[in-house]
Amino acid sequence: MLTLLRTIREILVRWWSEFTLQTKLMAGATLVVSLIMSGLTFWAVNTIQQDAHLNDTRFGRDLGLLLAANVAPMVADHNRTELARFSHQFYSSTSSIRYMLYADADGEIFFGIPFSDSEVQNSLTIRRRIQLPENFADRSELPMVRQHITPDGEVTDVFIPLLHNGKYLGVLAIGTNPNPTVVTSSSLTRDVTIAVFVSIWVMVILGAVFNALQITKPIKELLVGVKNIAAGNFQQRIDLPFGGELGELILSFNDMAERLERYEEQNIEELTAEKAKLETLVTTIADGAVLLDTDMHIVLVNPTARRLFGWEGRSLVGENILHHLPSAVRVELTRPLYQLTGSQTPKTGLPATVSLREASEYRISLPEPTNRTVRILLTTVLDQYRDSLKGVAMTVQDITREVELNDAKSQFISNVSHELRTPLFNIKSFIETLHEYGEELSQEERREFLETANHETDRLTRLVNDVLDLSRLESCKVYHLEPVDIVSPVEQTLRTYQLTAKDKGIELRYEIVPTLPSVIGNYDLLLQVFTNLVGNSLKFTQPGGQVVIRVYPLEDRDHPVHGLFNPAADKATMSPTKFVRVEVSDTGIGIDMEDQEAIFDRFFRVENRVHTLEGTGLGLSIVRNIIERHNSKVQLVSEVGIGTTFWFDLATYQEPAKTPEHRPTEADPLPAAVNE
């Protein structure tokens, strides 16, 4: 029921709000006049009815007293025949009497007109009585008067006590009809009042119709015209045949519309150009940009944001952004967006507090469409007074590379610190021991301590050199690439490690195809590659194993190498299809499959898992960077317990094609100096 009442109230409020102010004032005035007339009518009718009731009461009381004085002796003598004759004669002589009832002292009715004794009482009916107050006979000799409504109209009841010689004999009850003249006058007054009330409303309605036809129509036309002008339709004109002030208003409106139309024609190209510039700027910026209104509906989104959120090919303008954001972003930004826009929160349904803070930043990891990290900046868009929210601007930056670089830097610093701390601690420990207890140690113990310190110093030197080499390789330094005989760095590497291999009982050899062409490379860098690879192979190969360097030509390859770092060195060129493959194989412990993906990372060491030999963990990272400097890629094949093979390809060197020497002829023009 409450819902129905609330709905009716909303309908009435909406209906009333559609009226103009003039109509509302007219309706209010009409209602006030109608209420005043209704009040006057009610007061007049009520006064007339009260006077009629008073007159009827007086008439009934006087008539009852007169009748009671005449019939009391008859009742005292029990002369009911005379009582009946007199009563009938009295009843027939006037139309004001509705009924007459006689009751004894006990209240039992024994005679009545238009009733008879047989109608009042028989064997099948209950004895009827007049129930009066207990002290009615003793209270007063005045009659008791009351009024009640019957289907035939109002009746005035008068109860008169029958007294004879001071003795209470019973009661006489008569009912009198109201005065017909008064009733007719009251009805006429009501009819006239109703007619006046209806006439007022009819006149008001006719006046409203006239007002709508003569005054409201041009005002409504002007209102429609103003709305069209506000919507950008500057071709709107009003053509109504009105003079006076309304006519001047219509002419002024048409003149304004004409001026605005000319202004639009003059500035439309400039506005279009500015809009195109803005759209181009938003479209071409590197960061993602999304513009929202106060209801979190998308107003503008650029291609970068579509790519980062996986929105390519989807129409999103006008959609709620929370329905389309990736789940990780939606979880992070739902509450901030509701707080910024002041919308109802999804859980409580209560209005959120509007926050006019200018910007808030969030860093979120996106697992899809690709695994990346983004920085999202939410900025409120305020009006020119900076006190009203117009929307929210969302800037999306892809900081995946930045995060990876920061993580790599932190990991690098941590690893370098750890690797430097171990040899420095060992050197300091042995030197302190020699310094404090040198005299107590034997010559052999002192030599052992010094050898250990020297070994740790060499280890520290290697680590520092590797870090410096890796830093140079990862910098923007340009290395000079030139034709290199690949056999030279291979032989020098074997000479360097031949004694080490012999001491460990490992066979170290190379297999090189004769008459290999020179390769494009840097001799020192290639020598460092062979040194690191062969050193690792000897480190992880057991006695009795072997380490082999193989070099052989490749005639074709599906993906030619493009672009050297110094392609103009000595005017050397390279064939896009001829390469030399270099392999370094060993029969060592091998590399587990889960380690092969990280083997080239800085400070990653297999010995961390197999607990064998020491190393800096930078050798293979240096190898990878050097080979990438040669526009190639180092790869590996390994099996635990069988061995490992590292291989890479180097582009071969070819002599540049010689251009045939041009011999001047008579047709050739002479040099300028000669012509002069």
Side-chain angles (χ1 to χ4, degrees):
M1 186 63 181
L2 292 177
T3 304
L4 178 60
L5 293 176
R6 191 179 297 110
T7 303
I8 295 174
R9 177 180 175 275
E10 292 176 356
I11 294 174
L12 292 176
V13 170
R14 186 166 56 251
W15 173 72
W16 177 254
S17 63
E18 294 177 356
F19 290 129
T20 61
L21 178 61
Q22 184 178 5
T23 304
K24 292 180 179 179
L25 292 175
M26 187 177 297
T30 304
L31 180 62
V32 170
V33 173
S34 302
L35 291 176
I36 292 174
M37 294 301 298
S38 299
L40 292 175
T41 302
F42 175 78
W43 175 79
V45 172
N46 188 54
T47 302
I48 292 172
Q49 289 179 349
Q50 288 180 356
D51 291 341
H53 291 165
L54 183 59
N55 293 332
D56 290 342
T57 300
R58 292 174 180 175
F59 173 75
R61 183 181 57 186
D62 295 341
L63 185 63
L65 291 174
L66 178 62
L67 184 60
N70 288 285
V71 300
M74 301 178 190
V75 174
D77 296 338
H78 300 284
N79 189 359
R80 294 188 178 182
T81 301
E82 185 62 22
L83 177 65
R85 184 189 63 79
F86 180 80
S87 298
H88 276 289
Q89 183 180 358
F90 190 85
Y91 179 79
S92 302
S93 62
T94 178
S95 60
S96 298
I97 301 299
R98 178 72 64 88
Y99 68 88
M100 298 173 61
L101 296 176
Y102 294 91
D104 58 15
D106 296 329
E108 293 184 3
I109 299 174
F110 60 86
F111 181 73
I113 298 176
F115 310 104
S116 62
D117 185 67
S118 60
E119 292 174 335
V120 173
Q121 180 179 355
N122 56 42
S123 59
L124 298 178
T125 60
I126 301 174
R127 297 176 63 89
R128 299 191 179 183
R129 298 168 51 87
I130 295 178
Q131 188 67 36
L132 296 172
E134 296 180 357
N135 57 350
F136 176 74
D138 302 330
R139 184 182 60 181
S140 174
E141 295 182 359
L142 296 178
M144 183 178 67
V145 182
R146 69 178 185 180
Q147 293 168 336
H148 72 280
I149 303 299
T150 66
D152 295 333
E154 190 178 68
V155 177
T156 300
D157 301 318
V158 182
F159 300 90
I160 308 97
L162 296 176
L163 300 174
H164 185 69
N165 297 326
K167 181 180 180 182
Y168 176 70
L169 302 177
V171 61
L172 168 63
I174 62 173
T176 61
N177 293 318
N179 190 344
T181 303
V182 175
V183 174
T184 303
S185 177
S186 177
S187 300
L188 179 61
T189 303
R190 285 196 300 269
D191 294 340
V192 171
T193 304
I194 293 174
V196 171
F197 184 81
V198 173
S199 299
I200 292 174
W201 279 101
V202 170
M203 292 174 61
V204 170
I205 292 173
L206 292 176
V209 172
F210 176 80
N211 178 69
L213 295 177
Q214 298 298 323
I215 301 176
T216 308
K217 182 178 179 181
I219 295 178
K220 287 185 176 180
E221 290 289 339
L222 283 172
L223 180 61
V224 173
V226 170
K227 289 183 177 179
N228 289 335
I229 291 292
N233 182 15
F234 299 134
Q235 298 178 353
Q236 175 70 37
R237 300 291 187 275
I238 297 177
D239 186 13
L240 291 176
F242 283 94
E245 295 179 352
L246 282 176
E248 293 180 2
L249 180 60
I250 292 173
L251 290 176
S252 300
F253 175 83
N254 291 335
D255 182 63
M256 178 192 67
E258 185 176 355
R259 291 173 180 269
L260 289 174
E261 184 177 6
R262 289 199 302 267
Y263 178 80
E264 182 191 30
E265 292 175 354
Q266 293 173 359
N267 294 276
I268 189 66
E269 293 183 359
E270 181 180 353
L271 293 175
T272 303
E274 292 297 329
K275 181 180 179 182
K277 290 179 182 178
L278 178 60
E279 291 180 350
T280 303
L281 178 63
V282 174
T283 302
T284 55
I285 59 177
D287 296 335
V290 182
L291 182 61
L292 309 176
D293 60 14
T294 54
D295 295 326
M296 291 185 289
H297 294 158
I298 298 175
V299 178
L300 178 67
V301 55
N302 72 341
T304 304
R306 290 181 179 273
R307 176 178 57 82
L308 293 176
F309 290 147
W311 291 345
E312 292 91 343
R314 297 165 61 183
S315 178
L316 299 173
V317 176
E319 298 287 334
N320 191 303
I321 192 172
L322 295 179
H323 298 162
H324 301 279
L325 285 174
S327 58
V329 181
R330 183 170 60 252
V331 170
E332 191 73 21
L333 297 186
T334 296
R335 182 175 295 277
L337 284 174
Y338 274 107
Q339 291 176 348
L340 288 176
T341 59
S343 303
Q344 290 186 347
T345 56
K347 292 184 178 180
T348 63
L350 298 176
T353 303
V354 178
S355 176
L356 295 181
R357 57 182 178 179
E358 293 190 354
S360 54
E361 182 178 324
Y362 304 90
R363 179 175 295 191
I364 305 172
S365 298
L366 297 179
E368 54 185 20
T370 57
N371 192 9
R372 66 177 76 244
T373 302
V374 297
R375 179 191 293 117
I376 298 179
L377 185 67
L378 298 180
T379 307
T380 54
V381 180
L382 307 177
D383 62 358
Q384 59 180 347
Y385 303 108
R386 305 185 66 81
D387 59 359
S388 177
L389 182 68
K390 295 298 181 181
V392 177
M394 178 186 298
T395 304
V396 187
Q397 298 175 340
D398 187 356
I399 59 172
T400 305
R401 180 60 178 168
E402 177 183 338
V403 172
E404 291 176 352
L405 290 177
N406 289 335
D407 293 343
K409 180 179 68 175
S410 300
Q411 185 67 25
F412 180 79
I413 294 174
S414 176
N415 291 335
V416 168
S417 302
H418 176 74
E419 295 298 332
L420 290 174
R421 182 176 59 186
T422 301
L424 287 174
F425 177 78
N426 292 337
I427 293 172
K428 186 175 185 301
S429 299
F430 284 107
I431 290 178
E432 287 180 349
T433 303
L434 289 173
H435 177 71
E436 295 179 3
Y437 306 100
E439 297 179 356
E440 301 177 6
L441 298 176
S442 63
Q443 185 70 23
E444 182 179 352
E445 290 175 337
R446 288 197 295 269
R447 179 182 297 276
E448 181 182 355
F449 280 18
L450 289 174
E451 289 179 354
T452 303
N454 184 56
H455 173 72
E456 292 296 331
T457 304
D458 293 340
R459 178 185 174 188
L460 184 61
T461 302
R462 288 195 305 271
L463 175 61
V464 173
N465 290 335
D466 287 345
V467 171
L468 293 176
D469 292 340
L470 184 60
S471 177
R472 283 194 297 268
L473 289 170
E474 292 182 347
S475 67
C476 298
K477 180 180 178 181
V478 177
Y479 285 87
H480 183 73
L481 302 181
E482 58 185 1
V484 176
D485 183 7
I486 194 64
V487 179
S488 298
V490 173
E491 290 178 345
Q492 184 173 346
T493 301
L494 264 64
R495 285 194 297 270
T496 301
Y497 284 103
Q498 194 66 50
L499 292 177
T500 303
K502 184 176 181 181
D503 292 341
K504 294 187 65 174
I506 299 174
E507 179 185 1
L508 177 61
R509 58 187 175 87
Y510 66 88
E511 299 175 1
I512 300 179
V513 175
T515 65
L516 278 175
S518 298
V519 298
I520 301 299
N522 184 286
Y523 181 88
D524 294 331
L525 295 181
L526 292 177
L527 179 61
Q528 188 171 4
V529 169
F530 287 118
T531 300
N532 289 351
L533 292 178
V534 172
N536 279 345
S537 297
L538 292 175
K539 185 190 302 183
F540 295 104
T541 301
Q542 301 297 329
Q546 62 178 0
V547 177
V548 182
I549 302 177
R550 299 185 183 91
V551 184
Y552 55 91
L554 291 178
E555 291 299 330
D556 296 310
R557 199 167 71 165
D558 294 336
H559 49 287
V561 178
H562 298 283
L564 297 175
F565 287 93
N566 190 6
D570 297 336
K571 297 182 180 179
T573 61
M574 51 170 277
S575 169
T577 57
K578 293 184 179 180
F579 297 86
V580 170
R581 175 160 294 181
V582 179
E583 296 179 357
V584 178
S585 301
D586 62 61
T587 58
I589 61 176
I591 303 172
D592 192 74
M593 183 62 66
E594 63 177 335
D595 294 332
Q596 292 182 16
E597 296 181 359
I599 194 67
F600 294 104
D601 293 343
R602 290 174 295 186
F603 297 103
F604 183 86
R605 298 184 299 182
V606 175
E607 57 264 26
N608 290 341
R609 297 182 181 271
V610 299
H611 305 289
T612 55
L613 304 174
E614 296 179 351
T616 64
L618 295 176
L620 290 180
S621 181
I622 294 173
V623 169
R624 180 187 63 182
N625 279 274
I626 292 176
I627 298 303
E628 288 178 353
R629 289 281 180 169
H630 288 74
N631 297 296
S632 186
K633 182 178 181 181
V634 61
Q635 303 188 48
L636 68 93
V637 177
S638 181
E639 186 175 350
V640 177
I642 302 299
T644 303
T645 298
F646 291 90
W647 59 272
F648 55 89
D649 298 337
L650 297 174
T652 60
Y653 168 79
Q654 285 186 338
E655 290 289 342
K658 294 183 178 181
T659 305
E661 183 179 357
H662 179 70
R663 296 178 180 273
T665 63
E666 295 181 357
D668 294 334
L670 294 175
V674 177
N675 288 336
E676 294 179 353

